[in-house]
Amino acid sequence: MTDDTRAAELDAIVAELAPLAQRYAFVRAKRLPGIALTTYTRMPSWRSEDPPLAAARYLVWIFGVDDLSDDWSVPLPELRARYATLRAVARGAAAPPGDDLAALLAEVRAALAQLPLWPALADTWACSLDDLLAGMEAERDPAPRESLEAYLAYAHLSIGAMQDAWTLLIVLNDASALAQLPTISAALRAEARVIRLANDLNSADKELAEGKQNALTLLAPYGDARALAEAALAEAIRAFRAAIGQVRTSSGRFEQCIAATADATVAFYKRFTFHEFDHRAQ
């Protein structure tokens, strides 16, 4: 694959996603190149494996709900009411007029509902959304967590990795996965820890300035917070590789996609953020 080929593929994905930024006010167009990179890195054959880009559209939605949750000007009761709406939409309710987040969620759900594995995984997907929102709500609690593990107990949920992965599983349509759901769930929790720690290393300075907790603020009393977080990330990567190694679908594509997602995200966060990445500038 040449650099020109990759750039052209990323351009094509961005072009497919760009109308979302026109239809939905919460979508930040500057994030689309990073989402395109994630999509293409793990699924070079996206035109055949996920032609409507349902998984990429869902990543756009995850960023949007994260922005809502991070907006502390939104009172907690209002945030909980928005979450209740999103939980209902995830289970088939219509999106209320004027709620763009709910509308995009309904759009993604409708695309997934056309796929063969949806009946078997719809409840799992909706429950994972519940976990995502519960993790995001927990981030509103300013009380310091007593340990890194106590922090990761909710922070691995709020990063959105598991929701993304269950969406990929539905898209890839390998029915052999259905007999391995507990093993897959364990692997996805391990993946989420990797992505959370990589994210925290990337955003530590920003979150410190905002007075928010992350892995580094919790580790600071014990020494060099960055070095300790990097060690925790290295251990999380080892645990993830062991866990994903237990997943063996018939096609092998799901475990390949999840491993590629974790590896690519760790590498991405060492250099970029989703707010600033521009593939044409690299």
Side-chain angles (χ1 to χ4, degrees):
M1 177 187 65
T2 67
D3 288 345
D4 287 345
T5 298
R6 188 186 80 150
E9 287 293 293
L10 297 188
D11 283 343
I13 295 170
V14 170
E16 289 290 326
L17 298 176
L20 296 177
Q22 298 169 0
R23 294 207 309 275
Y24 301 121
F26 72 86
V27 176
R28 299 185 185 181
K30 62 186 177 181
R31 286 185 176 136
L32 298 183
I35 292 172
L37 179 64
T38 298
T39 299
Y40 183 65
T41 299
R42 68 190 183 184
M43 193 179 283
S45 300
W46 60 273
R47 287 182 175 84
S48 59
E49 290 186 311
D50 188 12
L53 289 171
R57 292 170 190 272
Y58 200 49
L59 283 175
V60 172
W61 181 84
I62 289 171
F63 276 111
V65 77
D66 185 57
D67 288 339
L68 170 67
S69 303
D70 280 349
D71 183 356
W72 285 52
S73 70
V74 178
L76 189 55
E78 179 182 337
L79 183 65
R80 287 171 173 158
R82 295 287 301 276
Y83 285 170
T85 297
L86 297 174
R87 290 186 177 101
V89 170
R91 288 165 171 83
D99 188 332
D100 283 359
L101 266 175
L104 180 54
L105 179 61
E107 179 182 316
V108 173
R109 185 190 184 279
L112 296 176
Q114 303 302 310
L115 301 177
L117 289 190
W118 177 256
L121 291 172
D123 286 347
T124 298
W125 186 83
C127 288
S128 183
L129 181 140
D130 293 344
D131 287 344
L132 170 73
L133 299 181
M136 289 181 171
E137 182 177 337
E139 291 181 344
R140 284 293 194 98
D141 182 355
R145 299 312 194 264
E146 62 271 20
S147 67
L148 180 63
E149 283 304 312
Y151 165 74
L152 287 174
Y154 70 84
H156 85 284
L157 301 174
S158 62
I159 199 65
M162 289 188 292
Q163 266 281 281
D164 170 58
W166 288 119
T167 303
L168 279 174
L169 184 58
I170 294 167
V171 164
L172 290 169
N173 189 34
D174 189 333
S176 68
L178 298 179
Q180 305 175 60
L181 295 186
T183 303
I184 288 171
S185 182
L188 300 190
R189 289 185 180 279
E191 181 212 10
R193 289 170 67 97
V194 168
I195 293 177
R196 167 49 70 189
L197 288 166
N199 174 275
D200 283 12
L201 280 160
N202 174 279
S203 62
D205 292 342
K206 173 179 177 289
E207 290 177 344
L208 181 62
E210 294 173 350
K212 295 179 180 177
Q213 296 182 70
N214 74 5
L216 278 75
T217 62
L218 286 163
L219 291 169
Y222 304 100
D224 184 334
R226 182 162 292 275
L228 291 169
E230 287 172 348
L233 173 59
E235 178 55 36
I237 291 171
R238 285 191 290 271
F240 165 67
R241 287 177 177 161
I244 199 66
Q246 299 301 308
V247 178
R248 297 183 178 88
T249 60
S250 294
S251 67
R253 284 295 294 128
F254 176 68
E255 50 270 43
Q256 290 166 6
C257 278
I258 299 307
T261 300
D263 290 346
T265 303
V266 170
F268 181 88
Y269 276 138
K270 287 180 178 178
R271 299 181 59 196
F272 307 111
T273 73
F274 279 91
H275 304 281
E276 65 186 11
F277 174 74
D278 180 356
H279 61 289
R280 284 295 178 180
Q282 304 309 309

